Amino acid sequence: MNRIKQFLKNPKTELFFAAVLLFTGIFIRAYHFGMIPVGVHQDEAMAAVDARALAEYGTDRFGMRYPVHFTAWIGGQMSVLLSYCMMPFIKLLGFSTFSIRLPMLIVSCLGLLALYLLGRQTGGKELAVAATVLGIICPWHYMQSRWAFDCNMFPHVFLFGVCFLIAGMKKKLFLMISMVFFGLCSYCYGVANYSVPLFLVIMAVCLFRLHQVNWKELSVCILVYFITALPEFLTMFINMFGMESIETPFFTIPYFPQSMRSKDILLLNFSWEQLGKNLLRTFSVVWGNGDKSATNTIVKFGPVYYLTVGFFVPGLLVVLGKIRKEEEAKKRIPYIVLLVWLFMGIWVGIVTREVTINRINIIFYPVLLIAGVGIVWCIRKWKLLVIPVGGAYAVLAMLFARNYFGEWADVSRIYYYEPYINALNYAKTISCDYYYITPDPQGEGVTMVGEILTMYCHEIDAAYYQGISNIQNGAEVLPFQERYRFQDVTKEIVEENQGRSVVYLIRAPEVGLFPSEEYEISSFYDAYFVVRGR
């Protein structure tokens, strides 16, 4: 028995088990990676198209030089960090679903490593293992790691900052490094601009009162954070006051005249009714069945499993007890961080309209860690619980995997536009002068979705899109705006294009416009059809 205890206490043993855990997390995330979700989401296509333009020209697809915030959907902008991370993979591996999703996979796996380290810093090896296992099998963490959505960078980059923040209590250099990561959060997701500063202010007060930092260290931290986040904050400032874009030799701070993003912030459009809805929605999304969006949640499991919610409550009580009773300041700080982080996540839910898993994703890491605290406490109190708890999570993980690679994979075809994308890819193989493409696969009047998915599938060159060049895929063709027509096809359009080299991508109701003896019609799931003259 003593030999077993010595073996378990050996640092090399811990390193081995930690490596096994992380390898397991990486392996199950890499399984069939790039194939599921099936298709491509419009937001990852948008991020990828701009990343490709940056990799080739140093501009976004509109020609803006290294923007600190993307124009993206014209009225709805997009954060840039994920696209900048895509650039080297596009250069090395080419432009594909695999290469554009790879950065998110890598960052998420690093997030598992950071989760282990933070658990280790907070409650020792037991919490590190419990939290990491929860992260590995967590539906939210698994699903977000396998597709490329810009806002999903936020929780991971913030987690890296938290790890360095706590490590900075022993070595102050790490404290400064943490500020860089907190500053980078502003380039991950817009909500970071009104949530991370709140977290940092509260933590600065706590650390100063606990005599863990002095005025000089606080001043340096503020400076590092401010310099890192400054271009993004300037973007907010010039858009708030309608000022012109700022162009520097290295990057552009853009003004967006058609921006509608301010409508997403409750503080700028306050109503008591919306506040109540946000509160209820926050708790139902995080601790309930998620946002019921097929891209983010499998409802029968919830974002973190419903079982995890049961351990969150005792875990939260333990965290509060540690903060109140722990005498040594350095041991209290990780628990204070967890509590403030949780509060920050709730704050995001309260002040952000239409709370979704993506918009409140910053809260899930502290939820997992606090639930891990609860699991460790329960198992320490009733040691035999380790068997049913471990067994229950093993069953949940297997059921989730079965659903994700089975029923959900089939559902993802719809939400990631696989029929439309297959039709676009087939249309790309046909030589023609003009394309008429049904513009709104989303079916909600968002016509830009069709254009951005076409740019992704047809690998539209940024210079060609801007009208600077008429060279596309090595051949001279008509200008983009003339060659690609994003509109529903009518009888008049068909008659007008008689005798011209035209390819149509249409919906089922429009098939009747094309006599089968005159046109070759290819079906894609009977949802979209590619039509060309015989």
Side-chain angles (χ1 to χ4, degrees):
M1 183 61 73
N2 287 333
R3 287 185 178 180
I4 294 174
K5 287 182 178 179
Q6 287 177 357
F7 174 76
L8 293 174
K9 288 181 179 179
N10 190 318
K12 291 183 179 179
T13 304
E14 181 187 357
L15 186 62
F16 171 77
F17 281 118
V20 169
L21 271 179
L22 293 171
F23 177 79
T24 302
I26 293 167
F27 176 78
I28 65 174
R29 278 158 180 73
Y31 180 71
H32 282 188
F33 182 75
M35 299 169 63
I36 299 173
V38 183
V40 176
H41 191 271
Q42 72 265 21
D43 284 318
E44 58 182 344
M46 178 73 77
V49 166
D50 280 328
R52 183 169 182 260
L54 285 164
E56 293 180 351
Y57 298 103
T59 72
D60 67 1
R61 73 186 191 280
F62 295 109
M64 186 182 294
R65 181 170 177 78
Y66 293 114
V68 300
H69 210 96
F70 284 138
T71 305
W73 301 101
I74 310 297
Q77 288 70 55
M78 182 179 282
S79 300
V80 299
L81 187 60
L82 179 57
S83 291
Y84 282 106
C85 290
M86 288 179 186
M87 289 169 58
F89 296 99
I90 291 172
K91 278 187 169 292
L92 288 170
L93 304 174
F95 190 67
S96 67
T97 306
F98 179 87
S99 64
I100 69 158
R101 288 177 174 174
L102 192 54
M104 200 68 242
L105 175 69
I106 293 171
V107 170
S108 297
C109 291
L110 289 173
L112 292 175
L113 173 60
L115 188 61
Y116 183 91
L117 295 174
L118 183 54
R120 188 75 170 81
Q121 290 170 317
T122 304
K125 289 183 284 188
E126 291 173 321
L127 178 57
V129 171
T132 306
V133 170
L134 287 179
I136 289 170
I137 64 175
C138 173
W140 160 75
H141 196 283
Y142 189 82
M143 293 179 76
Q144 62 79 40
S145 72
R146 291 173 60 88
W147 66 298
F149 197 12
D150 63 312
C151 66
N152 284 331
M153 290 285 283
F154 180 28
H156 309 300
V157 175
F158 188 86
L159 173 61
F160 303 153
V162 168
C163 286
F164 279 106
L165 175 69
I166 295 174
M169 298 304 99
K170 294 180 180 178
K171 191 173 182 179
K172 298 305 178 184
L173 175 62
F174 290 144
L175 194 61
M176 311 312 160
I177 294 173
S178 76
M179 295 300 118
V180 175
F181 282 103
F182 289 132
L184 287 175
C185 288
S186 291
Y187 306 97
C188 296
Y189 197 22
V191 300
N193 297 326
Y194 55 83
S195 57
V196 174
L198 176 66
F199 172 86
L200 293 177
V201 167
I202 296 173
M203 285 310 306
V205 172
C206 292
L207 294 176
F208 187 77
R209 291 190 64 181
L210 291 171
H211 307 291
Q212 298 302 300
V213 293
N214 56 39
W215 282 113
K216 182 180 177 181
E217 290 161 348
L218 275 178
S219 300
V220 174
C221 285
I222 292 169
L223 182 63
V224 173
Y225 173 75
F226 184 73
I227 290 173
T228 307
L230 179 60
E232 173 65 14
F233 286 138
L234 284 175
T235 301
M236 293 174 58
F237 182 82
I238 68 173
N239 279 276
M240 187 177 294
F241 294 100
M243 301 166 66
E244 292 185 1
S245 297
I246 301 172
E247 296 185 15
T248 77
F250 307 103
F251 54 81
T252 302
I253 300 169
Y255 168 62
F256 304 114
Q258 300 179 52
S259 178
M260 298 182 293
R261 283 300 189 188
S262 61
K263 295 179 181 179
D264 294 337
I265 305 173
L266 179 65
L267 295 178
L268 300 179
N269 301 274
F270 185 79
S271 80
W272 288 106
E273 181 184 1
Q274 189 64 47
L275 176 62
K277 287 180 180 178
N278 284 6
L279 277 168
L280 291 173
R281 179 83 170 158
T282 295
F283 285 94
S284 68
V285 166
V286 178
W287 290 280
N289 57 11
D291 59 10
K292 300 182 182 179
S293 165
T295 56
N296 300 316
T297 318
I298 298 177
V299 173
K300 63 180 70 174
F301 299 102
V304 295
Y305 296 122
Y306 301 113
L307 177 60
T308 304
V309 179
F311 289 109
F312 175 83
V313 176
L316 183 59
L317 294 175
V318 172
V319 168
L320 292 170
K322 290 283 187 180
I323 293 171
R324 188 167 61 89
K325 296 177 181 179
E326 189 65 63
E327 293 182 2
E328 190 177 343
K330 279 186 171 63
K331 291 183 178 179
R332 292 167 63 190
I333 287 168
Y335 294 101
I336 293 172
V337 169
L338 281 184
L339 192 63
V340 177
W341 191 352
L342 179 69
F343 169 76
M344 184 187 87
I346 295 172
W347 162 256
V348 168
I350 289 173
V351 301
T352 307
R353 284 179 177 269
E354 303 301 327
V355 179
T356 63
I357 283 179
N358 295 326
R359 293 185 174 187
I360 203 172
N361 55 20
I362 192 60
I363 203 171
F364 290 112
Y365 272 130
V367 167
L368 292 175
L369 279 157
I370 292 170
V373 171
I375 289 172
V376 170
W377 181 83
C378 290
I379 289 174
R380 281 177 179 171
K381 199 167 184 65
W382 301 285
K383 288 184 171 57
L384 290 178
L385 268 180
V386 69
I387 297 173
V389 169
Y393 273 114
V395 171
L396 285 171
M398 287 188 287
L399 290 173
F400 171 77
R402 180 183 178 186
N403 192 292
Y404 181 87
F405 289 100
E407 182 181 335
W408 185 85
D410 289 333
V411 170
S412 74
R413 297 176 189 277
I414 300 169
Y415 291 91
Y416 289 80
Y417 309 107
E418 193 209 15
Y420 190 78
I421 285 167
N422 285 349
L424 282 170
N425 286 332
Y426 177 67
K428 179 185 175 183
T429 65
I430 303 171
S431 178
C432 66
D433 293 331
Y434 302 94
Y435 288 102
Y436 279 81
I437 299 172
T438 187
D440 184 20
Q442 204 171 38
E444 296 178 2
V446 187
T447 56
M448 279 193 69
V449 172
E451 180 180 284
I452 201 64
L453 290 176
T454 300
M455 292 187 71
Y456 177 83
C457 294
H458 287 211
E459 299 185 29
I460 299 296
D461 182 80
Y464 174 60
Y465 178 69
Q466 295 164 37
I468 296 172
S469 165
N470 284 344
I471 304 298
Q472 169 65 18
N473 292 328
E476 185 170 354
V477 292
L478 292 168
F480 178 83
Q481 300 296 338
E482 186 177 343
R483 189 180 191 213
Y484 287 88
R485 313 289 180 89
F486 296 95
Q487 61 188 98
D488 291 321
V489 176
T490 63
K491 182 180 179 181
E492 290 72 24
I493 289 173
V494 175
E495 291 175 351
E496 179 185 325
N497 285 292
Q498 286 284 350
R500 301 170 94 182
S501 177
V502 182
V503 169
Y504 302 91
L505 195 164
I506 60 173
R507 298 177 188 271
E510 296 159 2
V511 172
L513 298 173
F514 301 92
S516 58
E517 63 272 12
E518 297 179 31
Y519 295 92
E520 181 182 308
I521 302 172
S522 302
S523 172
F524 295 85
Y525 293 91
D526 291 330
Y528 297 100
F529 299 80
V530 173
V531 181
R532 62 172 172 173
R534 290 191 181 277

